[in-house]
Amino acid sequence: MNLVRPILRPFALLLAIAVCARRGNASTESEGCESIVHLELGKEGIISCALTVQFVAWAGRTEGTDTPQVIVTLDDLIKGGVGYSSGEYDVLPDGSLVVTRAGLHHEGLFDVTARTGDNQLYKGTVEVIIFARPTPTYPVINNGINMQNAVLDSGRKGTITCSMQNVRPAIVLEFATTNPRVNDVITFQNATMMKNNGDGTFDVSVRNNFEVKDRTIEELNLICRVSEDYYRNQLFPDVTMVTLKLPAAPRIYIDGCHIPNEHCRLVKPREGNLTCSVNRFNDQNLTLHWRIDSEDVVLRESRPVVSRNDGNTSISLTTSYYVADTAAIPPILISCVLTEQQIPKYTTTALLTFTGPPVIAIDGCFVPDGSCHLVKQRKGEITCSIHGIAYRNITLAWAPSSDAMKLGESDTAESKDEDSYSVSVTTPYYLTDDSLSTMTIGCIVTGLRRSEILETAVVTFAAPSDVTIDGCNTRENKCGLLKPREGELTCSLHGLTETNVGLKWTVNSTAMILLVSTQKEIRGSDGRYTLSMTTPYFLANPGITSAVVACSATGIQSTHSGTALISFTAPPILTIDGCFSPQHDCKIAKTRVGDYRAQSMGYQALMLTSRGVLDLGRIPLHYKVVRKSAKNELMAIMMYPSERLTI
């Protein structure tokens, strides 16, 4: 097969027998298949054919194997073959071969054999070329100017590069002039570079050293393109236009700005750097310096950098400055002058407008010549921030007026807005004194080139959270409650903003038994909430008449607790046939046949059987009825935690 351009990769995997869908890169015979097909890497591709087939077979030859292997067949519309079974290939009714995902191993030759509708035998060979489109699809100038129409300020002698990344095959790039008549006034020296990315794609570039000999030319138009006509026409038609600006006189830039016959207008922070630069001029005895007529702006050290390349000289002068006055100042005119032996040659001016003085805010509040007034919770976070500074190596520190405000570890954040920086510090805090309601906190900024800055805020704190036991507020004194000997106690903590808070009981008597508690939250419209805990209890000792309980918060650093003195109702009285004797057994005469009754005063009436357990609330009473033959009397023995009653 006679090919018009080189195949950059050895014939890889497959040689096949197939029918193909039109790609537009090569012609399809009236009865037959394309001879050359371009498939894009990683995408589905079709080798197009135009056949009326009874049978078609595609065959491929893997690397290192001389004998073609059949991969896909189509026999009376029935598809087969290892390639079809694996899903790597498919075949269309007109005999076209479908490659489901084109890979590097598909680059090479495919053979197709078909028997057409008129019982004629057709054989063909198709060459497959795998290609990858670069991103972007057009050449990029100087490794960073990502546009198809680039304008460059250039000296009359210099270097320009053009590149494409992740492209396949490894094409060659070139620079060319759009006007052949200027070829006599410009010389090119091209150097081509290629990098193999290891994934089948390449990074290619061309480095061009040029020189414009005619000094009357102030603008030159070039194009960067793929040099080979075949690849440029078939795969990579995009070109990039480059306009070289060739000024007769050196151009002076202030912070990258140059406007002929006008001032550059720049907005600058109150502290920072200014850079004056001039590129690619032929005189080597020139220097740069600043000229400014203002006492409000102080210029500090300057760092000149001189570079020479290909006979051209470039100079940049970077100078640090600061505004001496802390108040706002009007715009300042500054000039950068290119001199030769202290004689001014060229000048560029800029009108500098400075941002306002640095602003310090506490929780976003800033009051010039005053203090902010903030309302805060008793536990939370507070933020100090400074805006409009030229550098980031500053320190923010807190100065609270009360030791009752405990500060945690701060979190510092930085951001950049055009030419200035903002720095903020956010700090968690909590109060240890419930009586503290108002205090002053200051934020101190250090590290500026001038003196440190202090901003203050007056903070009013929300009232401390209140603890109630059964609705009684425990803030002022101990609550007194009258409770039954079995029931429920409820502790509530009001006005909370913190999360993960819990409640717990403390009791001064082991005879008061607390059971499993239930907690719930009640949210308010002001963002605060009430946490309540309800706990069932009973008394295990009938002799206990009072107890002291305390409820306290957990999971919160401030102290929230309350106590209550509980007086309990009298214990239940158990009688047998109306007899009650706390210290001795009851002696009751009974007939041999009759009824007896046990009654618990304060509880329900009870009827006794011969044996069992009385469940008087939380206190089990074990009893049994026995007959003593010696005295011929009926005796009921009942066990109680503190006494025994006997008939």
Side-chain angles (χ1 to χ4, degrees):
M1 183 182 302
N2 185 18
L3 304 178
V4 295
R5 74 277 161 284
I7 295 177
L8 302 178
R9 183 180 180 277
F11 291 154
L13 293 179
L14 305 173
L15 302 171
I17 314 171
V19 182
C20 320
R22 181 178 301 274
R23 296 285 290 184
N25 323 359
S27 61
T28 303
E29 302 173 9
S30 59
E31 281 287 324
C33 300
E34 295 176 296
S35 58
I36 301 174
V37 176
H38 300 98
L39 301 183
E40 188 169 357
L41 184 65
K43 297 185 178 181
E44 181 182 89
I46 301 177
I47 304 175
S48 297
C49 297
L51 294 169
T52 303
V53 298
Q54 299 178 11
F55 169 84
V56 65
W58 287 92
R61 183 184 310 142
T62 59
E63 291 186 15
T65 303
D66 294 331
T67 303
Q69 301 292 325
V70 175
I71 55 174
V72 174
T73 61
L74 180 65
D75 189 358
D76 285 337
L77 301 180
I78 298 176
K79 301 176 182 180
V82 293
Y84 175 76
S85 300
S86 66
E88 185 176 0
Y89 299 96
D90 196 4
V91 62
L92 301 180
D94 63 356
S96 298
L97 179 65
V98 179
V99 181
T100 56
R101 183 181 176 86
L104 299 179
H105 60 286
H106 294 122
E107 188 168 83
L109 299 178
F110 288 82
D111 292 336
V112 56
T113 300
R115 185 170 299 280
T116 63
D118 56 1
N119 209 27
Q120 297 296 315
L121 182 64
Y122 170 81
K123 290 186 177 182
T125 298
V126 180
E127 180 185 1
V128 172
I129 299 173
I130 302 299
F131 75 98
R133 299 184 190 277
T135 304
T137 59
Y138 51 83
V140 174
I141 301 301
N142 285 352
N143 298 320
I145 302 178
N146 194 357
M147 58 183 66
Q148 278 191 276
N149 293 281
V151 179
L152 304 178
D153 287 322
S154 173
R156 297 187 172 275
K157 184 178 181 181
T159 301
I160 184 173
T161 62
C162 176
S163 61
M164 277 184 165
Q165 293 186 330
N166 302 315
V167 65
R168 180 184 177 84
I171 45 85
V172 177
L173 298 174
E174 68 176 2
F175 281 103
T177 58
T178 58
N179 186 355
R181 290 180 297 178
V182 303
N183 287 337
D184 295 335
V185 300
I186 184 172
T187 59
F188 288 114
Q189 292 180 350
N190 292 324
T192 300
M193 290 160 284
M194 182 190 73
K195 171 189 159 186
N196 190 334
N197 295 323
D199 59 356
T201 66
F202 302 86
D203 293 345
V204 296
S205 62
V206 58
R207 184 175 184 271
N208 184 281
N209 298 320
F210 68 89
E211 181 178 3
V212 181
K213 302 175 183 178
D214 189 346
R215 301 190 66 86
T216 63
I217 298 177
E218 295 188 359
E219 184 175 292
L220 184 66
N221 294 318
L222 305 174
I223 59 172
C224 180
R225 64 187 182 186
V226 175
S227 63
E228 300 99 320
D229 291 341
Y230 177 83
Y231 289 129
R232 185 168 67 247
N233 296 333
Q234 295 289 332
L235 301 177
F236 311 112
D238 292 345
V239 301
T240 296
M241 304 292 298
V242 183
T243 299
L244 298 179
K245 298 291 187 179
L246 309 171
R251 287 187 177 181
I252 303 174
Y253 298 85
I254 297 179
D255 278 6
C257 175
H258 171 84
I259 303 177
N261 304 319
E262 291 186 30
H263 301 315
C264 289
R265 297 181 180 272
L266 305 175
V267 178
K268 301 290 291 182
R270 298 176 73 85
E271 300 181 51
N273 295 318
L274 275 169
T275 299
C276 178
S277 60
V278 58
N279 298 324
R280 299 189 177 279
F281 60 92
N282 296 325
D283 300 319
Q284 299 186 6
N285 298 319
L286 300 180
T287 58
L288 289 174
H289 72 272
W290 295 104
R291 186 168 62 203
I292 184 171
D293 296 325
S294 174
E295 296 180 354
D296 293 328
V297 178
V298 179
L299 299 180
R300 299 168 68 95
E301 67 275 5
S302 297
R303 301 186 299 274
V305 177
V306 180
S307 61
R308 295 182 174 89
N309 186 27
D310 297 331
N312 292 320
T313 301
S314 298
I315 303 177
S316 67
L317 180 68
T318 300
T319 304
S320 63
Y321 71 90
Y322 67 91
V323 177
D325 196 340
T326 58
I329 63 172
I332 300 297
L333 193 64
I334 189 171
S335 301
C336 183
V337 183
L338 185 65
T339 63
E340 182 179 9
Q341 297 180 354
Q342 299 184 348
I343 299 175
K345 289 289 188 180
Y346 309 100
T347 301
T348 289
T349 59
L351 190 65
L352 305 181
T353 300
F354 296 99
T355 57
V359 175
I360 304 174
I362 298 179
D363 272 7
C365 177
F366 167 71
V367 179
D369 303 322
S371 295
C372 290
H373 288 264
L374 306 174
V375 177
K376 303 282 291 181
Q377 300 298 329
R378 304 186 74 82
K379 179 184 178 183
E381 292 182 340
I382 190 167
T383 298
C384 178
S385 56
I386 182 170
H387 309 270
I389 56 176
Y391 46 86
R392 296 166 291 179
N393 54 336
I394 58 102
T395 301
L396 300 175
W398 293 107
S401 63
S402 173
D403 293 337
M405 186 179 195
K406 302 301 182 182
L407 300 175
E409 185 175 352
S410 299
D411 183 21
T412 301
E414 301 173 354
S415 62
K416 189 175 188 300
D417 183 13
E418 296 183 354
D419 293 328
S420 64
Y421 291 93
S422 296
V423 179
S424 67
V425 58
T426 299
T427 306
Y429 71 89
Y430 65 93
L431 302 182
T432 58
D433 185 355
D434 283 347
S435 65
L436 181 64
S437 60
T438 303
M439 64 170 289
T440 300
I441 187 169
C443 179
I444 303 175
V445 182
T446 59
L448 299 174
R449 293 176 181 173
R450 302 183 300 278
S451 59
E452 65 182 24
I453 304 175
L454 172 65
E455 180 69 22
T456 60
V458 177
V459 184
T460 300
F461 296 102
S465 302
D466 293 330
V467 177
T468 62
I469 298 178
D470 273 11
C472 178
N473 196 319
T474 63
R475 174 183 294 276
E476 300 298 333
N477 48 37
K478 185 185 297 183
C479 289
L481 303 174
L482 179 62
K483 300 287 290 182
R485 304 183 72 81
E486 179 179 4
E488 291 182 339
L489 272 174
T490 298
C491 176
S492 299
L493 185 58
H494 307 271
L496 282 170
T497 58
E498 300 86 352
T499 57
N500 300 321
V501 180
L503 295 171
K504 68 174 183 178
W505 292 106
T506 304
V507 185
N508 72 337
S509 173
T510 57
M512 185 175 181
I513 308 300
L514 301 180
L515 301 179
V516 178
S517 301
T518 58
Q519 290 193 166
K520 66 178 180 179
E521 296 180 0
I522 302 175
R523 295 285 173 177
S525 58
D526 60 350
R528 307 173 80 184
Y529 71 96
T530 295
L531 178 66
S532 68
M533 174 179 67
T534 300
T535 306
Y537 72 90
F538 68 91
L539 301 180
N541 187 345
I544 186 173
T545 60
S546 65
V548 177
V549 296
C551 178
S552 58
T554 62
I556 186 172
Q557 285 147 318
S558 297
T559 302
H560 298 288
S561 63
T563 59
L565 174 62
I566 302 177
S567 297
F568 299 106
T569 57
I573 299 174
L574 184 66
T575 65
I576 299 179
D577 275 1
C579 176
F580 168 70
S581 176
Q583 304 298 330
H584 306 285
D585 294 340
C586 286
K587 298 292 185 177
I588 304 172
K590 300 289 291 184
T591 60
R592 299 181 65 84
V593 178
D595 296 327
Y596 54 91
R597 178 181 296 274
Q599 185 174 2
S600 174
M601 303 300 294
Y603 291 88
Q604 71 276 17
L606 301 173
M607 289 300 296
L608 298 179
T609 60
S610 61
R611 181 186 299 271
V613 178
L614 291 179
D615 186 6
L616 300 181
R618 299 291 177 180
I619 306 172
L621 303 178
H622 297 270
Y623 72 92
K624 64 179 179 178
V625 179
V626 299
R627 180 182 301 277
K628 289 190 175 182
S629 59
K631 295 184 178 182
N632 293 323
E633 61 181 0
L634 181 66
M635 179 178 291
I637 301 176
M638 304 188 67
M639 302 303 298
Y640 190 79
S642 63
E643 58 182 311
R644 186 180 72 180
L645 302 182
T646 307
I647 298 178

